[in-house]
Amino acid sequence: MGSALISGTDPHWERLSLWHDTVDTGWTPRPALSGDVDADVAIVGAGFTGLWTAYYLAEADPSLKIVVLEAETAGYGASGRNGGWCSALFPASAGTLAEMADRDGAIAQHRAMRETVDEVIRVAAAEGIDADIAKGGTITLARSRAQLRRARAEVAHAREWDRGEDDVRLLDRTEATALLRGSRTVGATYTPDCAAIHPARLVRGLADVVERRGVTIHERSPVRAIRPGRAHTANGDVRAATVIRATEGYTPSLSGQSRVVVPVYSLIIATEPLPASTWEEIGLARRETFTDHRHLIVYGQRTADDRLVFGGRGAPYHFGSRIRPEFDRDEKVFARLYATLTDLFPVLAGTRVSHAWGGALGIPRDWCASVGLDRTTGLGWAGGYVGDGVSTTNLAGRTLRDLVLGRDTELTTLPWVGHRSPAWEREPFRWLGINAGLRVMTIADAEESLTRLPSLAAKLVSPLLG
């Protein structure tokens, strides 16, 4: 979730998103690294992964000298630009996790994710971080027979993994529309395990907290390479026994890491604050996060100041895993998001969009996030969250704490610990495959919108999309 690799972009960080525009703190960069520095732990990337790791390490052992390196400012990347869901979602399925470990391990991973949502809320309250948090859960609408079939299958699958009504349940049309009145709703699934947050307030607050705990953050200090015992920048190196890579979608720009994850863009729009009468027609009284059971992911939330934030996938993957500021905006995708939003909630037709933005998230080849530490080299990592990183980064930070300190805990035995995803294909094959898969997902949703039946096109979707 950190952006420790890209520099020279727009210095007006408040323009990056609604979240960046509405934080309470300023954006003046912390001092850059100047010369070589020795530390116990060097962390590359000042997003959620890097900052949670620094937080828990500093809490556990205040004597540690911890240095965090960031190319821009803390929260510049996905940590400050996401849709604001702190959820129990994990990108890999229970079946995949069970294959990596066993059934009990897969169940433990999900339990840990559920507990992590509350841990994020706990720390924010304990440290006085006002991140506009509201734990209203997530409602996932079914708006066609095909989507309702997937909703029922999701609940049935959850029961196979010992997940009860308190975890996820099926709602009929009346129950669903009592929470969220989306058009053509025929049912929904609901889970309590999600909180709507203001992500930039959380990540900026966390940066301030770790500094108060003695952690040094160097901003405007892009890392060029990581190797055992060293994080290398143009203006000096941080020498440390442990070096943690926490760069998520920006990882391909790091020397030797071009095929670890691919950066795929997700774009978001935000409305102006909506009147109470509009919210009475929409719902989300407890600020539930929401989506539906379509193939190509969309996501939304009601903000603390009564805006509707709505985002989705569908922006193209850029050849060579390129990340550029101009990719944050795609007017065609923004227009499709607005059309989807007003189709969901016709009452919003004509509503003004106040902010539109985007950013890169990291996807590993097998769509399975991982965390680990190679004790022979001292190199650690966490990432590959596939857009589910707001909470998963916290679990990663606590796990890296235990790994760095040599603790054997319940966290260090979870299936994702030490997992190594295969490398992505070389270009042009990954560009062709990823964009073909995105196109098929779009076609599948259009097909189901017309027929209300399960899509034939979806069966052809590229394995590159999971």
Side-chain angles (χ1 to χ4, degrees):
M1 303 288 277
S3 59
L5 311 170
I6 307 298
S7 188
T9 54
D10 185 356
H12 300 289
W13 292 286
E14 71 278 2
R15 299 178 185 172
L16 289 174
S17 72
L18 166 69
W19 312 126
H20 287 80
D21 189 26
T22 54
V23 294
D24 297 327
T25 58
W27 288 98
T28 301
R30 295 170 172 86
L33 180 68
S34 179
D36 293 349
V37 172
D38 291 320
D40 297 304
V41 180
I43 298 172
V44 183
F48 281 135
T49 300
L51 294 175
W52 281 125
T53 303
Y55 175 82
Y56 288 110
L57 280 171
E59 179 185 55
D61 186 352
S63 70
L64 288 175
K65 183 175 182 182
I66 304 167
V67 175
V68 180
L69 297 169
E70 167 60 40
E72 297 292 346
T73 59
Y76 169 85
S79 296
R81 307 191 205 185
N82 59 75
W85 287 35
C86 181
S87 78
L89 292 171
F90 188 82
S93 70
T96 297
L97 292 169
E99 290 175 2
M100 292 161 51
D102 54 28
R103 178 182 174 85
D104 289 344
I107 293 172
Q109 181 87 41
H110 179 68
R111 182 172 61 248
M113 289 299 304
R114 296 189 76 188
E115 294 168 351
T116 294
V117 177
D118 290 329
E119 172 66 6
V120 171
I121 296 170
R122 183 196 69 79
V123 173
E127 298 292 352
I129 302 173
D130 182 5
D132 293 339
I133 298 175
K135 190 183 179 187
T138 298
I139 180 169
T140 305
L141 298 177
R143 302 173 60 236
S144 68
R145 281 181 287 173
Q147 290 191 16
L148 185 59
R149 182 179 297 183
R150 286 196 288 276
R152 289 170 174 159
E154 177 189 316
V155 173
H157 181 264
R159 299 293 179 266
E160 294 173 1
W161 292 92
D162 299 338
R163 296 172 58 190
E165 289 277 310
D166 67 314
D167 188 322
V168 61
R169 60 191 180 94
L170 188 69
L171 306 182
D172 61 25
R173 183 182 183 281
T174 299
E175 293 171 310
T177 55
L179 297 180
L180 180 62
R181 287 173 284 284
S183 64
R184 302 189 300 279
T185 295
V186 294
T189 53
Y190 175 79
T191 173
D193 297 318
C194 188
I197 69 165
H198 187 304
R201 287 187 178 180
L202 180 58
V203 71
R204 297 293 290 178
L206 193 57
D208 293 339
V209 167
V210 300
E211 278 193 313
R212 292 198 295 269
R213 288 183 176 269
V215 174
T216 300
I217 302 174
H218 289 294
E219 297 179 329
R220 303 291 282 180
S221 301
V223 171
R224 295 181 172 181
I226 295 172
R227 60 180 185 267
R230 193 176 297 264
H232 174 64
T233 81
N235 296 319
D237 293 356
V238 177
R239 297 182 293 253
T242 302
V243 181
I244 304 293
R245 171 173 58 77
T247 47
E248 192 54 355
Y250 297 88
T251 301
S253 298
L254 189 63
S255 177
Q257 306 286 330
S258 63
R259 296 165 61 198
V260 173
V261 298
V262 292
V264 172
Y265 276 75
S266 194
L267 272 58
I268 305 176
I269 59 176
T271 71
E272 61 190 354
L274 303 173
S277 58
T278 299
W279 283 113
E280 288 173 4
E281 293 194 47
I282 294 174
L284 303 180
R286 297 177 299 163
R287 290 185 57 207
E288 295 91 343
T289 57
F290 70 91
T291 180
D292 67 15
H293 281 280
R294 72 183 65 210
H295 296 287
L296 198 61
I297 293 172
V298 295
Y299 49 88
Q301 70 144 293
R302 177 181 182 174
T303 66
D305 64 347
D306 285 334
R307 300 172 189 268
L308 202 153
V309 168
F310 187 73
R313 312 284 169 82
Y317 162 75
H318 300 281
F319 191 90
S321 295
R322 290 175 298 166
I323 299 176
R324 294 179 180 173
E326 57 265 33
F327 298 160
D328 296 346
R329 300 189 62 85
D330 186 317
E331 297 304 327
K332 291 182 179 179
V333 176
F334 290 147
R336 288 199 297 268
L337 286 173
Y338 187 81
T340 301
L341 181 62
T342 53
D343 176 63
L344 265 168
F345 310 114
V347 68
L348 295 179
T351 298
R352 190 178 74 88
V353 170
S354 62
H355 296 76
W357 69 95
L361 54 90
I363 300 182
R365 182 62 181 83
D366 59 1
W367 286 54
C368 185
S370 63
V371 59
L373 175 66
D374 184 337
R375 297 193 186 282
T376 62
T377 63
L379 297 178
W381 77 92
Y385 306 117
V386 196
D388 295 327
V390 175
S391 52
T392 317
T393 51
N394 176 277
L395 181 59
R398 287 182 286 134
T399 304
L400 283 167
R401 169 201 60 197
D402 293 347
L403 292 171
V404 171
L405 297 179
R407 300 174 175 176
D408 293 323
T409 68
E410 291 183 358
L411 297 184
T412 62
T413 62
L414 292 174
W416 74 320
V417 178
H419 174 67
R420 299 279 190 172
S421 298
W424 277 92
E425 288 79 3
R426 298 182 186 278
E427 298 290 20
F429 301 107
R430 68 176 181 265
W431 180 86
L432 291 168
I434 294 169
N435 286 321
L438 289 170
R439 180 61 179 162
V440 170
M441 287 294 200
T442 302
I443 293 170
D445 285 325
E447 180 185 345
E448 290 187 355
S449 179
L450 289 172
T451 67
R452 311 295 181 211
L453 297 172
S455 168
L456 296 175
K459 297 179 181 180
L460 304 175
V461 70
S462 168
L464 291 173
L465 289 181

